[in-house]
Amino acid sequence: MATSKVLGYLESRKNLTGGACGLLGLVLTFTGVAGPYWPVVVAGLYGAGALIAPPERPAPPTFPDPSAQLDAVREDFAKLGGYLADVDLPPALGTRLTELTGLLAALLEPGWVAEVLAQAPEGVHTLSRAVRQDVPEAVDTFVRTRWWTRLTPGTEPPEHHLERQLTVLHEEAERLASVLRDAEARRQESHTRYLEDRSQ
């Protein structure tokens, strides 16, 4: 621990700046300017250099960029697909879930779609939340509630809630796709205006 602190100081800006100023003191000594007080001059210049050196600052933490985040979401989406394949859903709900996962898969498709999505951090967050939280929780609560409903018939069917949840999630994914489409449309319009202005 102490050794690392010493090594850290030796590599610090304060020591390097002080050392450069101390070398200037030695130059003054060899040219005869410092005279008999050269140790004080060298030490003083070293200290002054160490004091004026900019302080060390810790490096800011690095976080994965949106593209790397999307790679992680894709991996989790594959896990989600394995989980959903083992869940027994009524045909209508299975179709609704397939529509949702198909839309999520299209949004997570590597390539230019992912490049557009990577420029929209909120969109990455929306997809991440849907894959890692919303869809698995909706399906899992349906499975557990359906088991209890069999023990207590006459209550509201859990299928109604799952259908509503999947509808909301599908609408949310459609809104995200619409935002991305609009962004590309604006980009196309901007390029058209640029070309038209250039030709004038």
Side-chain angles (χ1 to χ4, degrees):
M1 184 73 176
T3 305
S4 62
K5 285 185 177 180
V6 171
L7 291 175
Y9 179 75
L10 291 176
E11 297 173 352
S12 70
R13 295 177 185 173
K14 288 186 176 298
N15 184 52
L16 295 176
T17 306
C21 291
L23 285 175
L24 176 61
L26 289 175
V27 170
L28 293 174
T29 299
F30 292 130
T31 57
V33 176
Y37 301 104
W38 69 267
V40 176
V41 172
V42 172
L45 286 173
Y46 175 87
L51 286 175
I52 65 171
E56 296 290 329
R57 64 176 184 81
T62 56
F63 299 106
D65 62 14
S67 297
Q69 293 177 27
L70 280 176
D71 290 339
V73 175
R74 282 190 201 97
E75 292 177 8
D76 292 339
F77 183 68
K79 295 177 188 175
L80 176 64
Y83 163 70
L84 295 177
D86 293 334
V87 176
D88 180 28
L89 294 178
L93 290 177
T95 300
R96 196 74 179 125
L97 182 60
T98 300
E99 292 173 355
L100 172 60
T101 55
L103 182 52
L104 294 177
L107 288 169
L108 287 169
E109 185 72 27
W112 67 269
V113 176
E115 292 173 8
V116 175
L117 183 59
Q119 298 173 13
E122 283 299 319
V124 175
H125 173 71
T126 298
L127 276 180
S128 173
R129 184 180 58 199
V131 169
R132 295 171 172 161
Q133 178 182 339
D134 296 337
V135 173
E137 185 171 340
V139 173
D140 183 57
T141 53
F142 164 76
V143 171
R144 288 185 284 127
T145 306
R146 181 174 58 173
W147 185 84
W148 286 106
T149 302
R150 290 173 180 166
L151 298 178
T152 56
T155 57
E156 183 180 10
E159 287 82 358
H160 292 172
H161 281 287
L162 181 57
E163 183 178 5
R164 287 163 57 190
Q165 292 167 4
L166 294 178
T167 298
V168 170
L169 291 172
H170 194 273
E171 290 172 351
E172 189 176 62
E174 284 182 327
R175 281 195 299 273
L176 174 58
S178 178
V179 167
L180 298 177
R181 182 192 63 230
D182 291 346
E184 286 297 282
R186 286 193 299 273
R187 182 169 171 243
Q188 185 185 37
E189 291 169 4
S190 296
H191 190 58
T192 300
R193 285 195 299 272
Y194 163 72
L195 292 176
E196 290 174 347
D197 292 343
R198 191 180 68 180
S199 64
Q200 292 176 358

